[in-house]
Amino acid sequence: RRSSDLVEETAIGATIVKTEYERILKEEKPNILISSCCSSVNLLIQKHFPKVLPYLANVLSPMQAHCKKIKLEDPECYTVFIGPCISKKYEGDHSNGIVDHVLTFEELSTWFDDVDLKLEHVEDTSTGGKARLFPTNGGVIKTMDTKANEDYHYISVDGLDNCLTVLKEIEEGNINNCFIEMSACRFSCSGG
């Protein structure tokens, strides 16, 4: 059973997600697979690029995969995701109870200031490994075994304008045999 105040890195969920991406590429062999980590990209595709929707990986984001794992281990656990992305609030609200609450780093800092809470240095005991790279530009691809699926091109796209360009190219049939990591923010989550 989990501690009531446990904090974990979402690299745990990222590992689950990258394993599923690798499985899809190996077993299902889609022409194009677009990562589903960025909530803003997911919404962009759903609302403005319906022809591209079949290429969007039907895989939970690392946030949801991690929270689902936690709730499977302790169904009574209340999950709170803390990150830089305001779009994760929308995703959390529409996660069917997988994610209980989402805070941005800004909200957390404001809360700490309001209650005059100062954090002490805590030893890093992370076991996230390479999955810690997920929120960086190209981070998803850096965690994957690209040699296992050499029939694919692996492309990292960051920034909304670049995402729009690639989505239009997909619509026009100009991109094939690709795994595409997309992040709406320039330099991915770490730059957002």
Side-chain angles (χ1 to χ4, degrees):
R1 199 156 161 94
R2 294 180 163 274
S3 167
S4 61
D5 59 356
L6 183 65
V7 176
E8 294 179 339
E9 272 190 275
T10 301
I12 293 168
T15 300
I16 295 166
V17 169
K18 81 99 183 165
T19 301
E20 184 61 10
Y21 289 158
E22 290 171 336
R23 184 201 65 76
I24 291 169
L25 292 174
K26 182 179 179 184
E27 295 177 10
E28 298 178 22
K29 300 182 185 336
N31 181 32
I32 299 168
L33 187 65
I34 301 170
S35 64
S36 54
C37 299
C38 179
S39 181
S40 295
V41 167
N42 298 347
L43 290 170
L44 175 67
I45 292 170
Q46 291 167 13
K47 292 180 179 183
H48 301 287
F49 292 90
K51 291 179 183 175
V52 177
L53 194 55
Y55 301 122
L56 181 62
N58 189 18
V59 176
L60 295 177
S61 70
M63 174 182 77
Q64 288 189 49
H66 189 194
C67 288
K68 183 177 180 180
K69 180 182 184 305
I70 291 169
K71 287 190 179 266
L72 286 172
E73 294 169 3
D74 182 358
E76 301 300 314
C77 190
Y78 188 87
T79 58
V80 179
F81 176 81
I82 303 168
C85 182
I86 196 160
S87 186
K88 288 293 185 189
K89 290 180 152 299
Y90 178 87
E91 180 186 337
D93 287 346
H94 294 85
S95 70
N96 297 318
I98 293 173
V99 181
D100 293 309
H101 198 78
V102 175
L103 289 173
T104 64
F105 289 144
E106 185 177 346
E107 290 171 325
L108 184 65
S109 292
T110 300
W111 181 25
F112 284 178
D113 288 345
D114 288 348
V115 297
D116 198 31
L117 178 66
K118 305 286 186 242
L119 294 181
E120 295 179 25
H121 178 72
V122 178
E123 183 180 340
D124 183 358
T125 59
S126 170
T127 58
K130 286 173 87 175
R132 291 177 109 185
L133 297 172
F134 255 58
T136 64
N137 190 30
V140 175
I141 293 170
K142 289 174 189 165
T143 69
M144 296 175 68
D145 181 7
T146 57
K147 301 279 188 227
N149 292 293
E150 291 182 334
D151 293 340
Y152 285 94
H153 303 282
Y154 293 83
I155 300 171
S156 175
V157 181
D158 65 309
L160 192 55
D161 288 343
N162 294 331
C163 289
L164 289 168
T165 298
V166 170
L167 290 168
K168 289 173 186 171
E169 290 294 315
I170 293 170
E171 269 189 335
E172 293 171 11
N174 297 330
I175 296 178
N176 291 289
N177 291 36
C178 277
F179 174 84
I180 305 171
E181 171 185 346
M182 280 196 192
S183 300
C185 290
R186 189 81 173 110
F187 306 114
S188 194
C189 306
S190 61

